[in-house]
Amino acid sequence: MGMRSIGRLMLLAAVLATGCAQVREPQGGAKDEVGPALKGTLPPNGTVRFTGSRILLRFDERVKLDRVQERLLISPPLARSPEVRMGRGDEVAIEWKGSLDPNTTYVFNIGDAVVDITENNPAAGLAYVLSTGDHIDSASVHGTLTDAFTGAAVPRALVLAYAVGDTVKPLVHRPSFFTRTDAEGRFRIAYMRPGAYHLAALNDRNANYRYDLPNEEVAFLDSTVAAGDSRPFALRLFRELPATQQLVEMRVMDDRSWRLVLAKHSDSLSIRQIDRVDDPLTWYPEWNTTRDTVQLWPSDTTLLVGQRFELSERGSVFDTITYRPLKRMPFHVALEGVEAQGRLELVATRPLAAFDSTKAVFTVDSAVVPFAGMIVADSLRRFRVEGSVPKEASTTLLLLPGAFTDIYNGTNDTLRFSWGSRTPPALGQLRLKLRSDSLVHLSGPFLLQLIPAQGSVRELRIAELPANPSWSDLPAGEYRLKLVEDRNGDGRWTTGRLDTGLQPERVHVDPDKAALRSGWEVEVEWVVTP
């Protein structure tokens, strides 16, 4: 090979090496986490006596649009959605048809609708303001939005203000001003015209600023608010009970029960099969305490997949549903052992049909004793060992395979349950000193709930405060306390009604958790402060 050929090969290698280096990802350097910022606007931000129908936003970097129809908020809302489009790589144009209302301040909340093209960082908190009058209005109202029952913050819900005296009816027509809550349920409606307003909130399922769907949640204040009032206002979001019964949610569970969540309390639910009229099923129901959720266990799962059923209440059909399991049913039935006031109970994952006492071995303090048998507790899934066992005794129940048979012919594996004397003791006790703040009077009756991190909720009815309830035989873990002001005394939480101005029953949640360890006796003091 000659020197000229060698030189050409060396040159080609150098070019290839340079090309490879050019396409490598840059190494090092901090990740860009700063969103786009406004570099300029046309007309300028804060313009007054505006008469146009178009604004231009120029950013300090190249940007793109992201879910504009959902994320761009214009307050007050325009009669028709504007057209939003990209100009140059760093420009966004917003244009609308028709004129704006006179003497009105408009706020264009850019929010997350504009992001940079490199890391998708949003222009969070960015707003553009203009006025068709002689000045920019500066009044505002602020507060929080929480779920009326759980007390949890409600993010990204609409908070709406309606000027008192306008012909606009709250929650039926578009609001005078509005905003969205942040991730912590906080809101601030800014740049408002001074005056009195009705304040409301809405989980708007169809994005039309109106309360017009049965699955939308709503909140309202009993009195009007003044724009510029510095006090925080608390709104509580709730879903109204429909005039007729509705099915909110349904699911076929792994163990073939059918979990139905209803819109409201039911005492006469009926289910009728449409496709298997020649072979009627038997359903074993399990209701929750408020009778708005039921688990239905079919007596036979053969050829049940895809079958249709009618749900009715008091003879009126309100839904047609189809049975569709998502997973294979486990063959073996599982059981859990619990101790309830000195009695031994077994809780099965499916309703039980038979028990073979010859496959049960019962020992007390290591001595085998005659087994008294099992009786049904409160459902076909809960069975109680007959007779009580002293707490100081160490008790063991051994169940051999096939001791229990469920309604689908599934059986148990070998199971061993132990109760009674253990070191350390497995159960604890919680005593509560419950009273209201000295500056606030809370009238009963009340519902008090003890809510474990896992397991069933325990509920007590309390006539008045102060009160000193207690719970024994509690498994170790963390517990939360919830108090419901049961104004109508029906034994359950009652939601609100917008048309009659009825607020939902007030719920108080203890901000502190009660931690209970094995064998502990814990005393908790809760001063309820609305």
Side-chain angles (χ1 to χ4, degrees):
M1 180 181 297
M3 293 298 295
R4 182 174 298 178
S5 298
I6 294 175
R8 289 175 178 173
L9 286 175
M10 292 176 64
L11 178 61
L12 178 59
V15 171
L16 290 174
T18 303
C20 291
Q22 288 176 343
V23 299
R24 288 176 183 170
E25 291 290 336
Q27 300 298 314
K31 180 181 178 181
D32 178 16
E33 296 181 352
V34 179
L38 278 180
K39 184 178 179 180
T41 65
L42 188 66
N45 198 356
T47 290
V48 296
R49 295 185 289 276
F50 178 82
T51 57
S53 59
R54 181 179 184 270
I55 60 176
L56 182 67
L57 311 176
R58 183 175 296 114
F59 293 87
D60 62 350
E61 59 181 315
R62 294 174 62 85
V63 296
K64 60 183 178 181
L65 302 175
D66 187 16
R67 292 190 287 175
V68 174
Q69 296 301 320
E70 172 189 347
R71 293 178 166 177
L72 175 63
L73 302 182
I74 305 175
S75 179
L78 303 181
R80 296 175 60 182
S81 297
E83 180 182 354
V84 184
R85 62 180 184 274
M86 293 294 304
R88 301 185 319 185
D90 59 351
E91 291 181 347
V92 174
I94 303 175
E95 189 171 356
W96 57 91
K97 294 183 178 180
S99 59
L100 301 179
D101 294 337
N103 300 314
T104 301
T105 298
Y106 284 86
V107 184
F108 294 76
N109 293 286
I110 310 302
D112 299 338
V114 175
V115 299
D116 62 36
I117 63 172
T118 55
E119 299 291 346
N120 289 324
N121 295 313
L126 190 62
Y128 173 87
V129 184
L130 60 82
S131 174
T132 56
D134 294 330
H135 64 278
I136 299 291
D137 292 319
S138 59
S140 66
V141 295
H142 72 283
T144 56
L145 178 65
T146 57
D147 184 282
F149 181 66
T150 66
V154 181
R156 294 200 58 77
L158 293 179
V159 180
L160 315 116
Y162 302 84
V164 174
D166 285 358
T167 58
V168 172
K169 187 176 180 181
L171 293 163
V172 176
H173 300 283
R174 286 176 175 258
S176 304
F177 301 96
F178 79 102
T179 189
R180 284 193 187 274
T181 56
D182 64 13
E184 285 76 39
R186 298 171 300 195
F187 68 87
R188 176 180 291 275
I189 305 179
Y191 302 104
M192 297 175 67
R193 185 184 303 118
Y197 292 86
H198 298 288
L199 200 61
L202 177 65
N203 246 345
D204 191 13
R205 306 292 182 180
N206 55 359
N208 66 351
Y209 306 94
R210 295 178 176 86
Y211 180 43
D212 56 2
L213 292 179
N215 64 337
E216 291 180 332
E217 294 91 12
V218 67
F220 63 93
L221 288 186
D222 294 324
S223 58
T224 61
V225 303
D229 193 328
S230 60
R231 295 173 300 170
F233 296 97
L235 289 163
R236 297 184 296 134
L237 197 73
F238 64 91
R239 181 180 295 183
E240 290 187 291
L241 291 180
T244 58
Q245 186 64 275
Q246 294 178 2
L247 181 65
V248 176
E249 178 187 329
M250 70 171 180
R251 178 187 172 191
V252 177
M253 311 301 285
D254 295 348
D255 286 306
R256 292 306 184 263
S257 64
W258 211 351
R259 183 176 182 270
L260 307 180
V261 180
L262 306 174
K264 58 182 180 178
H265 173 89
S266 175
D267 54 13
S268 59
L269 180 70
S270 298
I271 181 169
R272 184 184 73 85
Q273 57 197 97
I274 299 174
D275 302 314
R276 279 176 62 171
V277 294
D278 58 333
D279 183 21
L281 290 167
T282 299
W283 295 92
Y284 303 97
E286 281 189 77
W287 288 92
N288 67 344
T289 55
T290 54
R291 289 190 68 89
D292 56 12
T293 301
V294 62
Q295 264 184 276
L296 297 169
W297 298 87
S299 58
D300 181 16
T301 60
T302 306
L303 302 178
L304 191 56
V305 177
Q307 299 293 295
R308 297 171 300 154
F309 296 84
E310 279 185 350
L311 293 178
S312 61
E313 193 169 61
R314 296 185 179 89
S316 176
V317 176
F318 63 87
D319 213 328
T320 300
I321 56 180
T322 304
Y323 186 92
R324 297 189 186 281
L326 300 178
K327 296 181 180 179
R328 295 175 61 88
M329 181 174 64
F331 176 73
H332 290 290
V333 59
L335 293 97
E336 177 186 2
V338 297
E339 182 177 7
Q341 300 178 348
R343 294 183 179 272
L344 316 181
E345 287 189 1
L346 298 178
V347 182
T349 53
R350 299 196 290 262
L352 302 174
F355 173 66
D356 185 354
S357 60
T358 65
K359 296 182 178 180
V361 181
F362 197 57
T363 60
V364 177
D365 288 335
S366 302
V368 177
V369 299
F371 185 56
M374 291 278 188
I375 58 174
V376 177
D378 55 9
S379 75
L380 291 178
R381 290 200 306 120
R382 298 182 71 95
F383 278 68
R384 180 177 298 131
V385 177
E386 288 193 283
S388 60
V389 177
K391 288 189 175 181
E392 63 271 12
S394 179
T395 307
T396 300
L397 175 61
L398 175 65
L399 297 178
L400 300 176
F404 276 107
T405 303
D406 66 31
I407 60 175
Y408 308 135
N409 292 319
T411 59
N412 62 283
D413 288 325
T414 299
L415 299 171
R416 183 186 300 272
F417 304 104
S418 296
W419 295 269
S421 179
R422 289 180 295 278
T423 304
L427 304 177
Q429 182 177 359
L430 178 64
R431 296 193 302 272
L432 175 64
K433 290 184 176 181
L434 179 64
R435 61 183 177 87
S436 61
D437 187 277
S438 59
L439 300 178
V440 179
H441 174 68
L442 298 180
S443 58
F446 303 94
L447 296 176
L448 177 63
Q449 292 182 340
L450 182 67
I451 307 172
Q454 293 181 342
S456 302
V457 175
R458 303 197 183 195
E459 190 170 87
L460 297 174
R461 301 193 70 176
I462 297 176
E464 59 183 0
L465 299 181
N468 299 295
S470 63
W471 295 268
S472 58
D473 299 329
L474 292 176
E478 287 189 335
Y479 292 84
R480 303 218 66 155
L481 291 163
K482 178 184 291 186
L483 186 70
V484 178
E485 296 182 31
D486 188 19
R487 293 184 309 226
N488 57 10
D490 64 353
R492 60 180 181 269
W493 178 75
T494 301
T495 188
R497 287 200 59 175
L498 180 64
D499 57 351
T500 61
L502 177 68
Q503 293 284 359
E505 289 180 339
R506 190 170 293 276
V507 177
H508 309 275
V509 180
D510 188 354
D512 299 320
K513 295 180 181 179
L516 188 64
R517 294 186 182 179
S518 299
W520 278 21
E521 292 185 4
V522 175
E523 185 174 278
V524 174
E525 184 175 3
W526 181 17
V527 180
V528 181
T529 305

